[in-house]
Amino acid sequence: MATTTPLTPSDQRRKPPPLPADALWWALCAAAALGLASCSSLGPHRVWGTAAGAGYLAAALLASRGRSPRTAGAVAVTGAVLLPLLWLLVVDRAQLEVRVVARSAGLLLAEGTPYLQHPVVPEDFNPYLPGMAVFGLPEAVAGPGPLTDPRLWMGAAFLGAFALALPAGSRSAPLRWIAACPLVALPLAVGGVDLPVAGLMCLGLALAGQGRAGAAGLALGAAAALKWTAWPAIPVALALLAAASRSAGRPADRGEGRRPADRAAARCGLVALLTAAALVLPAALRDPGAFRAHVVDFPLGLTDAVSSAASPLPGHLLATHVPGGRTLALLLLGVSALLIALSLLLRPPATTAEAAARLALGLLLAIAFMPASRFGYLVHPLVLAVWAALRETPGHTLFLRVRKQVSR
């Protein structure tokens, strides 16, 4: 017969799979950075590509000569994040998103809403939820400057949330690697609104995996107030809480364990929704028409102004080159969401690693089929996948392990 027993402490202390940090990895990063520098028409991207390419090449050289991964990683972070960030701060250059966030904070303080009432050109639109304006408040209050730049606060929020989501005592190496990864280093230097969302999603799932339903709801609610892309993390966390709470009980008490499990999931969901509502509704109700135009119509391509998010992903290609392709792309997006929802109901994730992997898959499908999308959005599934690998329990992905015993 089969019984279930908790994983032993030795199982839980086993190290997760190592992240790539050899000379070949840094050489590939250098090729990607230098390729962006030569192909991009955006000045901040060219600055980043040049500086990051040099940093990655230096890291590859150090790794090939047997220097420690810590030394090579520190050199990569210096070249890919610190140097281009400092230079761009000095010359006051940034990606468009940084200026949008700064402007939205000024509008929020002045008019109670972060959205222009009559947007005309794509630069007028703010496709983010009202919570994103928080990162522009230092500049709106104290004025423009290197220390009030929104990208510093967005980067700090991401690194802080991601660090807290990692196991205590093993944070420095993963933080160094994720910061040096090109898809993360680029927005850290030039500005990117997706990083704090990804960090808060990891933190929310980590707290849910620890059974801290209220704290998980706060983190996920804060993420949900920043961008729509964070909302799928809430049902994933609810499924994780319910499955983990139920499997923690003894088989004989499984019926009695349903109520605590349901209460934990309900508490997390309620806190998340109340947090998001408190941050979103005041600005949304101030001007519902502007809210819809900015955060619903514009991202879906339903406005006269066309979003600059036009990477050649399947959804954009369908919407651009196929008759009725926009409807087809939205249909594929809906089917993907339905399939992920069914997977949560039929086979809920039992560990934080499984939950992060499920969420990463769902976001990857969403990014692929959105009519207006860009490669930079892939930072969401990347961060979640890396975090899932770091949180994975070797040997099996479930909290409980089945041990077969022969009864005589």
Side-chain angles (χ1 to χ4, degrees), residues 293-315:
H294 283 265
V295 303
V296 179
D297 294 345
F298 181 67
L300 293 178
L302 302 178
T303 58
D304 294 333
V306 179
S307 171
S308 60
S311 296
L313 293 165

Side-chain angles (χ1 to χ4, degrees), residues 203-204 207-208 212-220 268 271:
L203 179 58
L207 293 170
R212 299 169 62 184
L218 283 174
L220 294 173
C268 176
V271 171

